[in-house]
Amino acid sequence: METFLIRLLQFVLAISLLVLLHEGGHMFFAKLFGVRVEKFFVFFDVGIGKWKGKLFSWKPKKDDTEYGMGWLPLGGYCKISGMIDESFDTEQMKKEPEPWEFRTKPAWQRLLIMIGGVLVNFVLALFIYSMIMFTWGDSYFKVSDMSMGMRFNADAKALGFHDHDVMLGTDQGPFREYANVNGDFFRQIAQAKRVDVLRNGKKHSISLPGDMDMLPMIKTRPFFVEPFIPAQVDSVLGGTPAAKAGIKAGDIIKSINGKPVETWTDMNYQTGVLSDVMSVKNTHKDSLAVRSIVLTVQHKGKSKIDTLKMVLTPDLKLGVMQSTLATYYKPVQEEYGFFESFPAGIKHGWNVLRGYVGNFRYLASADGAKSIGGFGAIGSLFPPFWDWYMFWSMTAFLSIILAFMNILPIPALDGGHVVFLLYEMITRRKPSEKFMIRAEYVGITLLILLMIFANLNDILRWLHIM
């Protein structure tokens, strides 16, 4: 429960900040051009009965804007006078246009008002990334430094890769880090026509088609490629099955229930199989049988392999902390001064945006549609503990997502309004108000359906149906 609350707090704080600044971008340009902003709300104040749906609101003196917070955390809005938006205030549009209304302003001013939110979100992401570079620098594990090489699945081996190959680079350039938020490592392989590896001390080149589908590479278990991390115990938690069986830090797990184990991926796969079996066992006796396992372990500094019998916890935990890349390799640490951090942050933010846009095309596939997530999926991206580095990294990433999604040419989103404004600027003709209202209804309906679909995917994943 504590883990859930920590993630929820991070999610709500990040989304609130992003929505506040996004809507603030619209309001800034609106007030700059003399357009009246009637309401500025974080979250939606959907009324229920006589209750207007406001958690709180206030209206400063000599200000036309009512500021507040609604109860429905699905975004926020900035109600601009004389504009057809999600409020569907058609009565206002029937009145004679006023000089302080959105509809009476030149098209270029209306365009800036509409892109104000996206602009703020994108600039915010670049600023956050820059400050991350300044505060923490950039730390990563260089792929070519991983001397134990990689572990490959059957699909990768069919293309010519071997376990323990050290990945050097492709025809596009050297590899930097194994994986990051936008999947550059996998994308580089997917687009490569040649991958260079170090095998038994000699350089080899592997030919690839250059147009591989990246989605299966990262969705298939085991992954197409991942660092070879031996199933070596980093530490043992007291009072756990591992501690009671005599397992200690540095011990290496060699097999579980007769199934050979080389890496933690192997171990996690086998416990995943046990979890699948456990899900169909109804009695305590059956459950106990699944949890009762036999491990073979090589103790630290010894050549003899011991056989250990134990009973895993009800959630199939052994009670050990796994070794990681940090156990075997030293990360590359790059530090940046204040002014140096801005070009580094901008470059990183641009790469994240480019990667996200590149991945967007995969949503058209069946596997891509299944990967769409709602609030649960977004919330799970935050760590189960409070970490300012991770919080700001995820906030910047979500800011880029919010900017990109909002600029899509879908009615009811900023991008839909931008398309209609560009049409007006090119043809010198405004779309009719009747058309704009209908388009807004269509856009809102599409967004609601997408939201239902995304959150339904979360539920199906939680129920292990998908």
Side-chain angles (χ1 to χ4, degrees), residues 59-358:
K59 190 171 183 179
K61 292 181 179 180
K62 299 181 180 179
D63 194 335
D64 296 314
T65 307
E66 177 189 6
Y67 301 88
M69 176 177 282
W71 67 273
L72 189 61
L74 301 181
Y77 70 98
C78 176
K79 189 176 186 308
I80 297 173
S81 294
M83 175 183 168
I84 298 172
D85 57 13
E86 60 270 18
S87 67
F88 296 108
D89 188 357
T90 55
E91 292 302 316
Q92 183 185 68
M93 303 303 291
K94 293 177 182 178
K95 300 176 182 178
E96 286 296 316
E98 300 287 351
W100 36 261
E101 287 187 338
F102 176 84
R103 54 180 165 169
T104 62
K105 299 300 178 181
W108 68 270
Q109 292 186 2
R110 285 180 279 137
L111 181 64
L112 285 175
I113 292 171
M114 291 315 308
I115 67 172
V118 169
L119 182 63
V120 166
N121 279 133
F122 187 60
V123 171
L124 174 67
L126 298 182
F127 177 75
I128 292 175
Y129 280 132
S130 298
M131 291 301 95
I132 287 174
M133 295 294 184
F134 174 64
T135 306
W136 290 284
D138 190 12
S139 180
Y140 61 93
F141 293 96
K142 193 175 180 180
V143 172
S144 59
D145 288 346
M146 298 178 188
S147 56
M148 288 185 291
M150 295 287 179
R151 180 74 179 271
F152 300 89
N153 68 11
D155 292 335
K157 289 177 180 177
L159 292 168
F161 292 100
H162 292 184
D163 284 341
H164 298 291
D165 281 351
V166 177
M167 306 287 278
L168 301 177
T170 71
D171 49 320
Q172 302 174 41
F175 291 115
R176 185 175 186 266
E177 56 185 309
Y178 166 67
N180 52 28
V181 74
N182 61 339
D184 284 345
F185 177 80
F186 288 96
R187 184 178 299 102
Q188 191 172 345
I189 296 174
Q191 297 174 354
K193 293 186 177 180
R194 188 195 79 246
V195 176
D196 297 324
V197 302
L198 195 65
R199 183 181 300 164
N200 299 322
K202 295 182 179 180
K203 184 177 178 180
H204 290 261
S205 293
I206 299 169
S207 297
L208 296 180
D211 59 351
M212 294 170 59
D213 189 346
M214 189 180 88
L215 196 60
M217 296 171 68
I218 58 179
K219 286 185 69 66
T220 305
R221 296 295 184 274
F223 290 130
F224 182 89
V225 55
E226 58 187 338
F228 191 97
I229 302 177
Q232 185 174 25
V233 177
D234 181 76
S235 58
V236 181
L237 303 177
T240 60
K244 293 174 182 177
I247 295 177
K248 299 186 184 324
D251 290 353
I252 300 175
I253 299 173
K254 308 299 287 186
S255 72
I256 173 173
N257 291 342
K259 306 292 184 182
V261 169
E262 282 191 295
T263 68
W264 282 117
T265 297
D266 297 333
M267 184 65 181
N268 294 335
Y269 176 78
Q270 293 301 330
T271 54
V273 171
L274 294 179
S275 178
D276 291 339
V277 175
M278 177 87 90
S279 65
V280 298
K281 299 298 182 181
N282 298 320
T283 68
H284 175 71
K285 183 179 179 180
D286 289 340
S287 173
L288 188 61
V290 175
R291 291 162 50 203
S292 300
I293 65 167
V294 177
L295 289 185
T296 58
V297 176
Q298 181 180 357
H299 294 293
K300 184 179 180 180
K302 297 181 180 179
S303 58
K304 181 183 177 182
I305 306 295
D306 282 348
T307 300
L308 306 174
K309 295 181 179 180
M310 64 188 69
V311 179
L312 299 178
T313 63
D315 57 352
L316 299 175
K317 298 298 183 185
L318 182 61
V320 301
M321 298 298 291
Q322 301 178 0
S323 56
T324 64
L325 285 174
T327 307
Y328 307 101
Y329 308 115
K330 184 178 180 181
V332 175
Q333 181 68 37
E334 297 178 353
E335 303 290 346
Y336 297 93
F338 181 75
F339 293 106
E340 295 173 318
S341 67
F342 286 97
I346 291 171
K347 180 181 178 181
H348 180 74
W350 179 254
N351 285 337
V352 171
L353 175 63
R354 187 176 52 125
Y356 183 76
V357 173

Side-chain angles (χ1 to χ4, degrees), residues 354-371:
R354 187 176 52 125
Y356 183 76
V357 173
N359 295 344
F360 201 73
R361 66 187 177 94
Y362 293 112
L363 296 182
S365 67
D367 286 338
K370 290 179 182 178
S371 69

